[in-house]
Amino acid sequence: MTGPDDTAVPDAPTRDAQHPRWWIYRSGGAPLRDTVLSDVLPPPPPWRTFDGGPALPPPPEDDTETVRRLGAHRRAAREDSEAARKEAEMVNSALLLRRPLLVTGRPGTGKSSLAYRISRALRLGRVLRWHVTSSTTLTGGLYAYDAIGRVQDTAARTAAAGDGPPQDGRAAPLEVGDYIQLGPLGTALLPHAEPRVLLIDELDKSDLDLANDLLSVFEEGSYAIPELLRSSRRNPSATVLTDDPDRTAVITGGTVTCRAFPIVVITSNSEREFPPAFLRRCLLLEMPEPDENDLADMVAAHLGDDTVAEWGGEIIARFLDRSRERGGLSIDQLLNSLYLASSGRLDDLDGSVTEFCERVWHRLNGAGPGARPR
């Protein structure tokens, strides 16, 4: 394999003939071993090359959140299903093309978990999560500026200085960078040596303009912070907080430019359509409905094989039946019911455990378990 300049680049490691040579992310999310992503990731297309720098230190780990999302019981990844193969094809395409991946599907099918599987498989550290609401703006995802706090602190310093000369600097202007914190999107676009994984969750809940506002940032791989631009002649560099706990970054000239374009996973419950210009710049993956084997694997990852062996068969089968009848149920509902069933606290239950579990599986449209869809 060669890069754009005809120089040789490393091939992604292969295990067997089932995996195409160009795959880096494996079907089922099996992890890279004895290597890092930058060693096997080919150079980007010429039109997706970015030159931010210098490179920042590796991001922090977040094992607690990964376990919460994916489960504490590591299992061999299922790689034989059509859904796993399609997932791997689209994730690897997004990796090679440096393009966002738009993941659609019914609520509760595990779309957001894909970002955590990618991060764990490619050993990319903490996932940056940007949860979108109807009031979310592009600026909020990039950074926040506490102008009021700066004014109050400046006034307090001035008052403390009193009428005497400000020889000790107590009345000197405060650094603007001390009042800026980068958001998840802004942090993802810092010049990291390895791409950060950014989860933009439920973009379809946003204002209609947000998808269009993202276009320029995705295309340019950079953004400006006006508050730092205005002071850049006096202070060319500023240290700001990032979205990572207890981490800072130095921004020069008031502009941030990425070095490795982030792996952007955008989820949508298909509640509305996106502009064609936005869709052209994304790759699309439709998350399928999980089957009985998929659900058993998810339950085992969170609750262990013993829970699947003792309770999984009948309850998972009944869950799938009720999900079809009720227009789709959430995987969280199945995990909740099996956690209660395996806890030993339902031994004196009046009625069967399976019947109790069904009462936990309420409709996702807000109606009760026995209600009919409108």
Side-chain angles (χ1 to χ4, degrees):
M1 183 183 299
T2 58
D5 56 355
D6 294 328
T7 57
V9 298
D11 289 327
T14 57
R15 289 202 186 93
D16 52 53
Q18 292 181 349
H19 299 103
R21 293 186 64 202
W22 62 280
W23 279 14
I24 300 173
Y25 175 83
R26 300 303 190 186
S27 57
L32 288 176
R33 298 188 184 280
D34 303 322
T35 188
V36 295
L37 179 61
S38 57
D39 289 339
V40 296
L41 182 63
W47 56 90
R48 299 297 295 163
T49 301
F50 305 99
D51 60 356
L56 296 179
E61 299 293 334
D62 193 359
D63 293 336
T64 300
E65 183 65 11
T66 300
V67 167
R68 192 176 75 84
R69 294 279 185 160
L70 302 180
H73 303 271
R74 297 295 295 271
R75 294 169 56 82
R78 292 184 67 229
E79 301 184 347
D80 56 348
S81 70
E82 182 66 19
R85 188 173 185 86
K86 288 182 178 178
E87 175 187 297
E89 287 177 349
M90 297 315 299
V91 170
N92 282 295
S93 296
L95 269 173
L96 296 177
L97 295 173
R98 277 66 167 182
R99 287 292 184 185
L101 182 62
L102 178 60
V103 185
T104 63
R106 184 180 59 76
T109 52
K111 298 184 295 296
S112 60
S113 297
L114 176 59
Y116 293 86
R117 289 201 300 277
I118 293 171
S119 180
R120 185 173 68 179
L122 302 182
R123 300 161 58 189
L124 295 176
R126 177 177 179 265
V127 173
L128 297 161
R129 184 184 180 191
W130 184 19
H131 185 75
V132 174
T133 67
S134 59
S135 60
T136 297
T137 64
L138 175 64
T139 298
L142 292 173
Y143 73 97
Y145 172 51
D146 185 7
I148 294 176
R150 189 182 184 210
V151 170
Q152 291 174 338
D153 288 351
T154 301
R157 273 199 177 189
T158 302
D163 297 329
Q167 296 177 353
D168 58 2
R170 286 179 296 171
L174 297 173
E175 296 294 336
V176 63
D178 294 340
Y179 298 86
I180 289 176
Q181 180 169 13
L182 303 185
L185 175 59
T187 301
L189 291 169
L190 287 170
H192 298 282
E194 302 269 347
R196 293 298 300 269
V197 179
L198 170 66
L199 171 62
I200 304 180
D201 214 6
E202 299 187 331
L203 183 62
D204 51 339
K205 295 188 183 303
S206 69
D207 179 88
L208 292 174
D209 292 331
L210 182 58
N212 283 323
D213 293 341
L214 285 167
L215 292 179
S216 176
V217 174
F218 285 161
E219 284 303 294
E220 302 302 325
S222 68
Y223 63 95
I225 301 177
E227 292 81 2
L228 295 182
L229 281 174
R230 287 194 290 268
S231 63
S232 61
R233 182 173 297 180
R234 185 176 66 254
N235 296 309
S237 297
T239 300
V240 302
L241 291 171
T242 73
D243 188 69
D244 291 320
D246 303 319
R247 291 286 184 104
T248 61
V250 176
I251 297 176
T252 301
T255 300
V256 174
T257 301
C258 73
R259 184 184 183 94
F261 189 79
I263 301 171
V264 184
V265 176
I266 306 170
T267 71
S268 168
N269 294 327
S270 303
E271 294 182 2
R272 68 174 176 84
E273 295 182 354
F274 294 109
F278 177 80
L279 294 176
R280 284 199 302 270
R281 290 164 173 82
C282 296
L283 300 181
L284 305 182
L285 171 64
E286 183 175 0
M287 189 67 71
E289 293 287 334
D291 60 21
E292 193 165 347
N293 289 328
D294 294 329
L295 292 175
D297 286 344
M298 293 176 193
V299 171
H302 285 277
L303 301 176
D305 290 321
D306 291 344
T307 298
V308 177
E310 183 174 0
W311 299 99
E314 180 182 356
I315 291 179
I316 289 175
R318 187 75 65 92
F319 177 84
L320 283 171
D321 289 341
R322 295 298 176 264
S323 182
R324 297 184 190 103
E325 292 173 3
R326 298 173 183 177
L329 298 175
S330 168
I331 295 170
D332 286 341
Q333 294 173 295
L334 175 64
L335 292 173
N336 290 339
S337 61
L338 281 169
Y339 173 78
L340 292 172
S342 62
S343 66
R345 293 178 173 84
L346 303 181
D347 294 341
D348 57 351
L349 186 69
D350 185 14
S352 74
V353 172
T354 303
E355 290 174 352
F356 171 82
C357 289
E358 288 201 45
R359 293 194 286 275
V360 178
W361 304 335
H362 59 79
R363 294 181 184 278
L364 298 183
N365 62 4
R372 295 184 177 181
R374 296 178 181 177

